[in-house]
């Protein structure tokens, strides 16, 4: 039997108004302990006001091999950016 | 074969363009192995490094010193954890990493195999040992492997207090009685050379440096970092009124650097090979802590399992 505690990914919101951001991982027996450990490990200097933990095995990640398939189609769509549209300089606030 | 070559070229091109490598990206086996070796060695150093300092927590001379030392040692535990996490992203698990430390397969910084004989040693460790570690770690914030670089940024933010609390301890001793100043000098005498050894073998002897520089795992060589450390530290010793135990130490006006004497590499290799003053004691302490904590880890797992089962049962009823 594997005795290692499962691995958890930790996300911290540093202050209200900002998103939770991935900060690292840790081992814990359950979610509650993961939160407590994350508090001790990742917020010893008031780095956060909210913690999310998720068991690493529950994350599905895209693969670097898919990079082209997933993200290439966005590259040639310049018309999605404001600079694509020519307007005279005289027009203000637009 | 052709494909492997392409992958290798794409990998090196990324490194050359200063892009980071992330866990799921393709990387050469040797790059992965080098990182696992280096990051785990770094993690072990943080954890074993808690032992010589922990030795003085209960005997700190004031409450102010005690809370600072306690916080520092706790930080080092955190550093170990950030680094183990970074190593685990490379596909090695924590149990294996810990086993490798306990069996002696993995190394840790040999500086922690020296004993802490007096309170002044705590000052010298913060000032010199953390100071040397900072030189190395600041460089590593720009290392090519993403999770390692990010762990380093976090660690560097925490380190500067470590060095300052150490220097403050020595400053206080040096402004105290004759006996206190002597204690500070004695600590510097014992910690100076081992601190210079922390940067590892000289560039001409170092087997990993060249490849690590090419992969941008390291950004500066051992000798470059060592020189940087000496240049920064000598004036700090002068301010304390302490003398560096090196008769060959002198300022070179032309190069703008300090010249220093030959390091005793025999001693360095002896300690690396396990024959330092405290090698056996350190590993024994780590194994003891790990074994005596086993029941806690198992109980926590059993408790988590029981709670999960109860929650599932309750859901079924509802
Ligand atoms: Fe540290
Ligand atoms: Fe430190």
């Amino acid at each position: 039997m594997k005795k290692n505690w499962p691995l958890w990914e930790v996300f911290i919101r540093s202050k209200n108004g900002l998103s939770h951001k991935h900060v690292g991982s840790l081992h814990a027996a359950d979610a509650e302990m993961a939160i407590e450990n994350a508090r001790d490990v990742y917020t010893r200097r008031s780095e956060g006001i909210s913690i999310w933990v998720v068991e690493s095995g529950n994350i599905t990640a895209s693969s670097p091999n898919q990079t082209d398939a997933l993200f290439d189609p966005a590259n040639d769509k310049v018309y999605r950016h404001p600079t694509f549209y020519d307007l005279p300089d005289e027009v203000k606030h637009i | 074969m052709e494909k492997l070559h392409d992958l290798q070229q794409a990998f090196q091109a990324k490194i050359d363009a200063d892009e980071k490598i992330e866990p799921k990206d393709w990387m050469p086996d040797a790059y992965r192995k080098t990182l696992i070796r280096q990051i785990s060695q770094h993690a072990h150093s943080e954890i074993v490094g808690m032992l010589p300092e922990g030795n003085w927590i209960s005997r700190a001379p004031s409450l102010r010193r005690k809370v600072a030392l306690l916080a520092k040692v706790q930080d080092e535990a955190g550093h170990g954890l950030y680094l183990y996490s970074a190593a685990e992203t490379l596909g090695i698990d924590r149990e294996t990493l810990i086993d490798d430390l306990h069996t002696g397969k993995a190394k840790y910084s040999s500086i922690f195999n020296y004993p802490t004989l007096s309170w002044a040693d705590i000052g010298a460790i913060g000032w010199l040992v953390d100071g040397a570690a900072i030189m190395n770690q600041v460089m590593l914030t720009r290392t090519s492997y993403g999770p390692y670089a990010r762990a380093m940024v976090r660690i560097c933010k925490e380190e500067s207090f470590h060095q300052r609390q150490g220097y403050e301890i020595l400053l206080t001793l040096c402004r105290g009685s004759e006996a206190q100043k002597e204690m500070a000098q004695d600590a510097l005498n014992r910690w100076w050379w081992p601190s210079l050894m922390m940067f590892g073998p000289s560039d001409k002897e170092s087997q990993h440096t060249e490849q690590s520089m090419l992969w941008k795992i390291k950004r500066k060589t051992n000798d470059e970092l060592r020189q940087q450390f000496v240049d920064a530290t000598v004036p700090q010793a002068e301010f304390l009124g302490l003398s560096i135990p090196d008769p060959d130490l002198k300022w070179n006006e032309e190069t703008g650097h300090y010249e220093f004497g030959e390091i005793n590499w025999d001693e360095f290799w002896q300690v690396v090979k396990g024959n330092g003053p405290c090698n056996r004691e350190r590993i024994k302490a780590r194994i003891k802590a790990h074994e005596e904590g086993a029941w806690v880890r198992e109980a926590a797992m059993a408790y988590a399992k029981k709670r999960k089962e109860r929650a599932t049962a309750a859901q079924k009823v509802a």
Side-chain angles (χ1 to χ4, degrees):
Chain A
M1 191 190 84
K2 239 178 115 63
K3 280 181 288 180
N4 234 350
W5 289 343
L7 191 64
W8 301 76
E9 300 300 324
V10 181
F11 301 81
I12 305 264
R13 183 204 295 289
S14 56
K15 59 177 188 186
N16 271 0
L18 296 178
S19 315
H20 286 76
K21 197 173 151 212
H22 183 245
V23 292
S25 59
L26 49 77
H27 289 273
D30 59 16
E32 200 182 312
M33 187 196 272
I35 295 253
E36 283 162 5
N37 288 357
R39 191 267 322 268
D40 287 346
V41 174
Y42 291 106
T43 65
R44 286 198 303 286
R45 289 177 176 80
S46 334
E47 290 95 335
I49 52 148
S50 163
I51 303 173
W52 287 353
V53 292
V54 54
E55 227 183 299
S56 309
N58 288 332
I59 292 182
T60 309
S62 67
S63 144
N65 300 331
Q66 297 172 286
T67 306
D68 288 353
L70 289 176
F71 309 116
D72 247 11
N75 285 345
D76 56 1
K77 295 182 178 55
V78 280
Y79 47 86
R80 283 180 176 158
H81 299 277
T83 46
F84 180 73
Y85 301 91
D86 282 329
L87 295 186
D89 286 350
E90 294 90 309
V91 188
K92 302 292 179 202
H93 306 300
I94 185 162
Chain B
M1 216 42 228
E2 192 62 8
K3 187 154 178 272
L4 183 66
H5 183 75
D6 287 352
L7 285 169
Q8 266 162 353
Q9 271 197 330
F11 173 82
Q12 191 61 48
K14 244 196 219 174
I15 302 252
D16 293 343
D18 269 342
E19 278 180 45
K20 297 286 181 213
I21 306 300
E22 294 294 342
K24 297 189 95 189
D25 293 343
W26 185 89
M27 60 186 90
D29 276 349
Y31 178 82
R32 187 186 298 276
K33 269 198 204 124
T34 302
L35 278 172
I36 290 178
R37 181 180 48 77
Q38 182 174 327
I39 301 174
S40 66
Q41 188 170 320
H42 198 158
H44 299 325
S45 302
E46 302 284 352
I47 299 299
V48 177
M50 296 161 76
L51 296 169
E53 288 184 293
N55 180 34
W56 278 92
I57 292 175
S58 63
R59 292 175 288 162
S62 68
L63 186 58
R64 185 175 190 275
R65 294 292 184 221
K66 191 188 289 237
V67 291
L69 184 57
L70 205 52
K72 176 185 190 295
V73 172
Q74 192 189 3
D75 274 353
E76 306 302 2
H79 297 176
L81 192 127
Y82 307 150
L83 287 159
Y84 284 130
S85 296
E88 283 173 281
T89 64
L90 291 157
I92 186 157
D93 65 48
R94 183 78 63 90
E95 261 176 349
T96 313
L97 293 170
I98 302 288
D99 276 353
D100 286 352
L101 172 66
H102 294 172
T103 58
K105 194 179 155 206
K107 300 273 179 252
Y108 55 88
S109 181
S110 46
I111 191 87
F112 301 118
N113 291 315
Y114 291 86
T116 38
L117 304 178
S118 79
W119 171 248
D121 288 20
I122 299 305
I125 289 183
W127 173 39
L128 300 173
V129 177
D130 287 77
I134 290 169
M135 291 276 160
N136 188 41
Q137 292 173 157
V138 166
M139 165 194 77
L140 288 170
T141 59
R142 295 168 52 240
T143 191
S144 58
Y145 187 58
Y148 193 21
R150 293 191 285 274
M152 279 302 129
V153 171
R154 185 174 291 280
I155 286 175
C156 284
K157 273 189 202 152
E158 302 183 352
E159 284 290 356
S160 68
F161 121 70
H162 297 181
Q163 197 187 14
R164 290 173 66 102
Q165 67 91 36
Y167 195 78
E168 196 193 80
I169 289 172
L170 290 180
L171 196 57
T172 308
L173 289 173
C174 288
R175 286 172 176 169
S177 68
E178 225 14 75
Q180 285 173 315
K181 192 163 178 189
E182 260 168 47
M183 203 199 223
Q185 181 65 55
D186 172 63
L188 174 57
N189 292 349
R190 283 179 292 108
W191 289 94
W192 175 253
W193 290 105
S195 298
L196 294 195
M197 293 177 201
M198 280 178 73
F199 297 96
S202 74
D203 293 350
K204 36 185 201 303
E205 304 291 328
S206 171
Q207 40 169 333
H208 303 296
T209 297
E210 203 184 330
Q211 182 61 70
S212 288
M213 299 283 286
L214 208 64
W215 280 332
K216 294 190 184 168
I217 292 176
K218 287 172 84 160
R219 300 286 193 141
K220 288 177 182 172
T221 70
N222 296 351
D223 286 337
E224 283 170 344
L225 287 167
R226 191 165 11 243
Q227 184 66 55
Q228 199 183 332
F229 175 74
V230 172
D231 290 344
T233 310
V234 172
Q236 294 167 352
E238 278 165 9
F239 186 84
L240 291 171
L242 297 177
S243 49
I244 304 262
D246 178 358
D248 297 324
L249 185 83
K250 60 169 187 286
W251 175 250
N252 183 327
E253 195 72 55
E254 241 164 72
T255 59
H257 294 292
Y258 284 94
E259 288 171 8
F260 53 95
E262 188 62 33
I263 288 170
N264 181 349
W265 292 113
D266 285 343
E267 175 183 329
F268 173 77
W269 289 113
Q270 278 301 319
V271 183
V272 169
K273 285 186 183 126
N275 302 318
C278 303
N279 294 58
R280 286 173 196 82
E281 188 184 327
R282 298 290 183 243
I283 290 300
K284 216 171 103 190
R286 282 314 316 156
I287 293 176
K288 180 168 180 273
H290 190 69
E291 283 174 355
E292 289 179 357
W295 72 270
V296 180
R297 293 191 295 278
E298 281 160 27
M301 246 353 242
Y303 178 64
K305 194 168 157 245
K306 194 168 84 182
R307 282 218 300 189
K308 205 173 179 181
E309 281 163 5
R310 273 200 199 137
T312 329
Q315 242 171 17
K316 269 188 199 144
V317 173

